[in-house]
């Protein structure tokens, strides 16, 4: 199987061009190739496929083999791949995902994509649609106790479920201990991605993320969008937020009049290769 390793601010996936390749049992393949000691090493596997409803289709698998709905950093790399490798010459494209069709605008420099702006769609705030089991319609700055420690949470879906939790010390957080407890908490029937956030100023926040099915990753595009929405809803920031993640920065803008969230960030090729399955 020929593949391309790509990353968006440290959120790295193995990409396969399914216009040319056929991947059997992609969940098992994702588990094998994601292993950072015995495989290629990645946060998961993304298949780039033909689509009947959009220009391309993105099929995403987490490192544990589970099927993912959407990855903001991953879809930016899809956009870079299809342009840089000649599958399209358009700088505005559509990509079908498990959470719907996303629209992307590409910034091209010297014939290669350097930045991608993604229309991530409207945030979902209704608890039952996130999904989360809660007594109120929305979960905004609500109390939750995890491992005998009280937290506040705001829950948002960007096509996949997110729980945004403000903390005083992002860097010192023992995310390997607390992350799984949020991921598997009984109020989240489909598990949850958890963003631990510190507001730096009215336009900047710092974030670490524990992704369901993958553990801590260096970045999460949908998580950055959910974080920005949560911060804006709670009045902590303005409508445009620079989200500082371990792997780099993402610019998030929630155009509230249209109720659309836009994410802008880089995408890079790391290396290409071929692996026997």
């Amino acid at each position: 199987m020929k593949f391309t390793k790509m990353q968006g601010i440290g959120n790295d996936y193995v990409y396969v061009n399914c216009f040319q390749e056929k991947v059997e049992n992609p969940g098992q393949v994702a588990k094998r190739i994601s292993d950072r000691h015995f495989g290629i090493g990645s946060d998961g596997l993304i298949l780039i496929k033909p689509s009947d409803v959009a220009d391309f289709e993105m099929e995403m698998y987490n490192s544990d083999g589970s099927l993912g709905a959407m990855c903001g950093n991953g879809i930016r790399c899809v956009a870079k791949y299809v342009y840089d490798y000649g599958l399209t010459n358009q700088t505005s494209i559509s990509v079908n995902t498990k959470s719907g069709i996303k629209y992307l605008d590409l910034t091209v420099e010297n014939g290669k994509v350097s930045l991608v702006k993604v229309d991530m769609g409207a945030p979902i705030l209704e608890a039952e649609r996130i999904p989360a089991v809660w007594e109120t319609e929305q979960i905004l700055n609500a109390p939750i106790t995890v491992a005998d420690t009280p937290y506040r949470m705001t829950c948002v879906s960007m096509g996949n479920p997110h729980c945004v939790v403000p903390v005083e010390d992002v860097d010192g957080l023992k995310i390997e201990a607390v992350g799984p407890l949020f991921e598997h908490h009984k109020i989240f029937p489909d598990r949850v991605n958890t963003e631990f956030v510190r507001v730096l100023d009215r336009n900047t926040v710092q974030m670490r993320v524990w992704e369901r099915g993958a553990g801590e990753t260096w970045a999460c595009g949908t998580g950055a969008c959910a974080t920005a929405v949560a911060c804006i809803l709670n009045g902590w920031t303005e409508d445009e937020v620079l989200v500082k993640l371990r792997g780099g920065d993402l610019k998030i803008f929630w155009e509230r009049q249209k109720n659309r969230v836009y994410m802008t960030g880089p995408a890079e090729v790391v290396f290409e290769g071929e692996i026997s399955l």
Side-chain angles (χ1 to χ4, degrees), residues 136-147:
T136 57
E137 183 182 1
Q138 298 183 353
I139 307 174
L140 302 179
N141 202 27
I144 185 173
T145 299
V146 174

Side-chain angles (χ1 to χ4, degrees), residues 197-216:
V197 179
R198 179 172 174 241
V199 178
L200 302 179
D201 58 43
R202 293 289 299 172
N203 298 102
T204 316
V205 302
Q206 180 188 8
M207 177 189 120
R208 286 174 71 186
V209 58
W210 183 269
E211 291 198 56
R212 60 176 183 171
E216 183 178 19

Side-chain angles (χ1 to χ4, degrees), residues 98-215:
K98 296 298 181 187
S99 62
I101 298 173
K102 306 301 179 185
Y103 298 91
L104 302 89
D105 294 318
L106 289 55
T107 299
V108 177
E109 297 178 358
N110 300 317
K112 302 289 185 182
V113 171
S114 58
L115 285 175
V116 180
K117 179 182 178 182
V118 188
D119 180 349
M120 299 289 285
I124 295 169
L125 303 176
E126 295 85 358
E128 66 178 5
R129 294 179 60 203
I130 287 172
V133 180
W134 202 249
E135 62 269 17
T136 57
E137 183 182 1
Q138 298 183 353
I139 307 174
L140 302 179
N141 202 27
I144 185 173
T145 299
V146 174
D148 298 322
T149 302
Y151 297 92
R152 311 292 295 191
M153 64 175 177
T154 298
C155 295
V156 180
S157 173
M158 292 300 308
N160 51 4
H162 293 274
C163 176
V164 180
V165 179
V167 295
E168 289 293 325
D169 182 7
V170 173
D171 293 322
L173 179 73
K174 293 181 172 57
I175 197 169
E176 297 84 0
V178 70
L181 301 179
F182 275 91
E183 177 184 356
H184 297 282
H185 198 284
K186 62 183 180 181
I187 73 168
F188 301 112
D190 292 342
R191 297 184 292 165
V192 76
N193 305 286
T194 309
E195 287 75 36
F196 299 95
V197 179
R198 179 172 174 241
V199 178
L200 302 179
D201 58 43
R202 293 289 299 172
N203 298 102
T204 316
V205 302
Q206 180 188 8
M207 177 189 120
R208 286 174 71 186
V209 58
W210 183 269
E211 291 198 56
R212 60 176 183 171

